[in-house]
Amino acid sequence: MKLSTSILAHRLKSKFTLQNKKALSDELHLERVLYYCDGDEMQDHKIYICTRDQVSEQDLIVPEKAVLFCIGKIRTRNTGKNGQVFQLVDDTSPFLLFNEIQRIFDYYEKWDTRLYELANQEGSIQEMLDESFRVFHNPIIVHTADYFVIGYSSIIDTRPELSGLVDPDAIFERNQENRDGRRQPDLTKKKGAFFYPDFITGMRSLCVNIFEHERYAYRVLMVESSSRFDACDGALLEHLAEYINLALSKQMVLQADMGYRLDRIFSDILSGPEQDPELLEQWFSEFGWLASHRYFCINLKVAALDLENMTVRFVCSHMENMLPQSCAFQYQNHIVIFVNLTRFGGDAEDVKDKIIYFLRDSFLKAGFSNEFTGFAHIRDYYRQAAAALEVGGRREPYKWIHRFEEVALDYMLEHGRGEFPGELVCSRRILELKDFDAQHHTDYYHTLKCYVQHQLNAVQTAKQLFIHRSTFLYRMEKIGEIVDLDLNDYDTLLYVMMTFRILEQEGNE
């Protein structure tokens, strides 16, 4: 691994007295140290050690990309393009200096070699971060552009005060705060190491963005919690980010090459042709999902802003964290979650209790399908959840969760009338009663509707209308004179009830 002048100076200053006139560089470009021999031509990117008695009276010319450690007073040509020159006192041992520089290279090369192995041999991101803790002495977190944490230093698990850095709820709150763009500049376009505003995490942070096809995709974030940042940390964090990027790229290739995953199975079922039931059972059984288990589907509508800001993946991950034994994924403009209720150990009501506050805080609305067993009708139950969200959202927009069983009648009425406007499939007699009310300023339509709603109970209807029972009976007699309705006939009563519901849906009452 190549080092920088700032790393060398930082690591040597505790053992040697160094003097230099040129600003230190963070660029990782320096190779192993050499002893300088009089008359040698110095090479770029090399580190040299020389003593006063090793060189002639002629000025030494140090290349721009080289470093010279001078023991004793040695004349060097000093121009703006000269390399870095460190002066040390006369009694400094060149051998001790040489060995110490070698040890510094060995230290970082051991780290670099381990990162290379982990990145190329399917090592985890967390292993890379744990290996890096001895270099930085501060915890590091890697998250996606939508704040989904994919790895963090294990030291965080031993420090309760750091738990908020990786807690999904805390991250989501920070994510919601940052998305409004009012409190922070756009840091997603920054290249190289930069400092993250401390009001976001409560501690100073050093970050490096990782880009995929020029688009911000990941961030490596180191928090100043255990040790103060060093000047050389930025370049070293960039070096670590390169290996993390390599590991992430390999993981993406491996995932793309997988024959199937649980979310891919569901996506293929929703978008592809009908699958063989026996094959589906075989696929799901490999994940421990059996045809005898109980399931249900949740549908979340995703706003365009969520897609643009890449929060979908975060929501999917957070839902899976809140609902063990679930599978959440994006399908078209929706987030779909299938929950294995048997393995989850509860029912849809328990699921609702788990996610209701998250939905409310994130302004998401959900549609619930009915429970089911087996895999033959997965697509149909997805449609149930989508219909629950669509119909329920129009009928009761203030609710966060809509169950299909609660909106099934409205769904049937909407789709049962086909292409006809509502009034063309409604009972002609009920429409005539509405028209009579409009012309004569009566309230027979509402009286009849209330009567039907109270299961043809005259006493309860009169009580609901705040009228005497005899007044109610008089109204019913007049209704009978206006329209001929036999409410004791099952089909007639059902048609009247459906008419009231359709007119209520369309706001034509």
Side-chain angles (χ1 to χ4, degrees):
M1 176 180 172
K2 297 179 180 181
L3 301 182
S4 67
T5 56
S6 62
I7 292 175
L8 287 175
H10 172 70
R11 297 301 295 267
L12 291 172
K13 66 183 181 182
S14 62
K15 296 184 178 181
F16 301 93
T17 301
L18 305 176
Q19 293 183 351
N20 65 297
K21 297 181 179 179
K22 190 173 181 180
L24 299 175
S25 169
D26 293 329
E27 181 184 358
L28 301 177
H29 70 98
L30 294 175
E31 299 171 356
R32 289 273 184 170
V33 60
L34 298 171
Y35 281 115
Y36 176 75
C37 295
D38 194 23
D40 286 350
E41 182 179 350
M42 294 186 185
Q43 302 174 30
D44 282 336
H45 311 297
K46 293 291 186 181
I47 304 169
Y48 293 92
I49 296 176
C50 72
T51 60
R52 183 169 54 185
D53 57 2
Q54 287 180 296
V55 296
S56 62
E57 294 299 322
Q58 186 178 1
D59 291 352
L60 288 182
I61 301 176
V62 183
E64 181 183 1
K65 296 292 186 178
V67 171
L68 176 64
F69 287 88
C70 301
I71 299 176
K73 187 64 175 179
I74 298 174
R75 292 173 57 185
T76 59
R77 184 169 299 176
N78 186 15
T79 68
K81 293 185 177 181
N82 282 151
Q84 184 69 261
V85 177
F86 291 97
Q87 294 282 350
L88 293 88
V89 295
D90 290 346
D91 60 351
T92 301
S93 168
F95 304 107
L96 290 178
L97 177 61
F98 181 90
N99 288 342
E100 187 60 31
I101 294 175
Q102 290 286 52
R103 277 192 286 269
I104 294 172
F105 270 96
D106 290 341
Y107 177 85
Y108 286 103
E109 282 194 356
K110 180 181 178 182
W111 174 56
D112 182 69
T113 300
R114 184 59 180 149
L115 293 179
Y116 178 86
E117 292 173 351
L118 292 171
N120 287 279
Q121 297 174 10
E122 301 178 28
S124 69
I125 299 297
Q126 181 172 324
E127 288 179 285
M128 301 174 73
L129 301 182
D130 287 340
E131 185 69 26
S132 300
F133 184 76
R134 68 178 182 86
V135 173
F136 295 103
H137 308 292
N138 278 309
I140 304 172
I141 303 163
V142 179
H143 64 71
T144 63
D146 50 1
Y147 297 89
F148 165 49
V149 174
I150 58 178
Y152 60 89
S153 303
S154 297
I155 190 69
I156 291 177
D157 291 330
T158 68
R159 300 267 302 275
E161 69 274 17
L162 300 179
S163 61
L165 296 172
V166 295
D167 177 69
D169 291 324
I171 293 171
F172 186 79
E173 289 180 10
R174 293 198 297 268
N175 180 23
Q176 291 293 91
E177 179 182 355
N178 296 342
R179 280 171 57 196
D180 61 19
R182 290 187 300 228
R183 294 191 61 186
Q184 120 182 39
D186 186 5
L187 302 176
T188 63
K189 296 180 175 62
K190 279 190 171 290
K191 302 291 180 69
F194 63 93
F195 286 103
Y196 198 60
D198 57 5
F199 64 78
I200 302 298
T201 61
M203 289 171 278
R204 198 163 69 125
S205 304
L206 186 63
C207 303
V208 177
N209 291 333
I210 296 177
F211 298 86
E212 286 184 353
H213 307 294
E214 299 300 320
R215 183 179 182 183
Y216 166 59
Y218 305 95
R219 177 170 291 161
V220 182
L221 181 147
M222 180 168 64
V223 181
E224 191 178 43
S225 65
S226 303
S227 177
R228 290 186 62 84
F229 288 147
D230 294 321
C232 55
D233 281 347
L236 292 173
L237 193 65
E238 291 177 21
H239 186 72
L240 171 61
E242 292 177 4
Y243 279 114
I244 290 175
N245 189 22
L246 176 61
L248 290 169
S249 300
K250 287 184 176 293
Q251 288 179 15
M252 293 299 291
V253 171
L254 288 172
Q255 290 176 0
D257 289 343
M258 289 175 60
Y260 56 88
R261 299 185 313 238
L262 194 55
D263 60 339
R264 181 170 295 181
I265 294 174
F266 279 117
S267 295
D268 289 345
I269 292 172
L270 298 183
S271 59
E274 295 293 334
Q275 301 282 356
D276 176 52
E278 293 185 3
L279 183 60
L280 287 179
E281 287 193 25
Q282 178 183 340
W283 285 351
F284 281 109
S285 67
E286 295 189 20
F287 297 91
W289 288 35
L290 306 180
S292 58
H293 290 171
R294 295 178 300 113
Y295 303 91
F296 90 114
C297 179
I298 304 173
N299 190 288
L300 305 178
K301 182 68 173 180
V302 180
L305 185 61
D306 294 324
L307 291 170
E308 180 182 343
N309 289 344
M310 301 176 65
T311 59
V312 171
R313 185 164 44 184
F314 177 89
V315 173
C316 289
S317 174
H318 195 46
M319 293 295 287
E320 289 181 350
N321 288 333
M322 289 189 294
L323 303 175
Q325 300 302 324
S326 68
C327 177
F329 57 96
Q330 181 183 346
Y331 179 69
Q332 296 176 349
N333 287 332
H334 296 257
I335 290 176
V336 182
I337 306 107
F338 282 93
V339 184
N340 186 324
L341 292 171
T342 301
R343 297 188 64 178
F344 172 74
D347 55 23
E349 188 66 21
D350 298 314
V351 171
K352 185 204 84 168
D353 293 340
K354 285 270 190 180
I355 67 173
I356 183 66
Y357 295 111
F358 172 75
L359 296 177
R360 184 194 64 188
D361 294 342
S362 53
F363 300 101
L364 289 171
K365 302 294 181 70
F368 281 18
S369 77
N370 294 335
E371 293 186 14
F372 64 94
T373 58
F375 308 114
H377 298 289
I378 285 176
R379 191 181 302 174
D380 295 323
Y381 285 102
Y382 158 73
R383 290 170 177 161
Q384 267 196 359
L389 183 58
E390 179 188 357
V391 177
R394 284 189 274 106
R395 182 181 169 197
E396 297 177 294
Y398 52 86
K399 293 180 64 174
W400 300 107
I401 293 176
H402 305 279
R403 295 179 174 84
F404 181 75
E405 61 184 10
E406 297 172 348
V407 302
L409 177 61
D410 288 331
Y411 178 82
M412 292 171 60
L413 293 177
E414 287 182 10
H415 290 77
R417 63 180 184 245
E419 300 176 355
F420 293 109
E423 289 195 1
L424 293 188
V425 296
C426 288
S427 168
R428 180 176 54 84
R429 293 178 175 84
I430 300 300
L431 296 178
E432 290 175 1
L433 194 62
K434 280 181 84 269
D435 290 340
F436 184 90
D437 282 343
Q439 294 175 17
H440 298 86
H441 307 290
T442 53
D443 196 24
Y444 296 140
Y445 174 90
H446 180 60
T447 299
L448 181 61
K449 181 181 179 183
C450 190
Y451 184 47
V452 170
Q453 288 175 334
H454 285 83
Q455 293 83 47
L456 309 186
N457 185 307
V459 175
Q460 290 296 324
T461 304
K463 184 177 180 180
Q464 179 68 32
L465 294 173
F466 300 102
I467 59 176
H468 195 272
R469 183 172 180 274
S470 60
T471 304
F472 166 73
L473 293 176
Y474 171 77
R475 289 188 185 181
M476 291 302 299
E477 182 180 347
K478 295 297 295 182
I479 289 173
E481 295 175 1
I482 300 168
V483 293
D484 182 18
L485 287 171
D486 182 6
L487 298 181
N488 293 316
D489 178 71
Y490 176 80
D491 288 343
T492 301
L493 179 60
L494 178 61
Y495 190 23
V496 168
M497 292 170 63
M498 292 174 63
T499 295
F500 282 132
R501 191 56 169 265
I502 291 172
L503 293 175
E504 180 183 320
Q505 282 181 342
E506 297 195 344
N508 289 332
E509 293 189 314

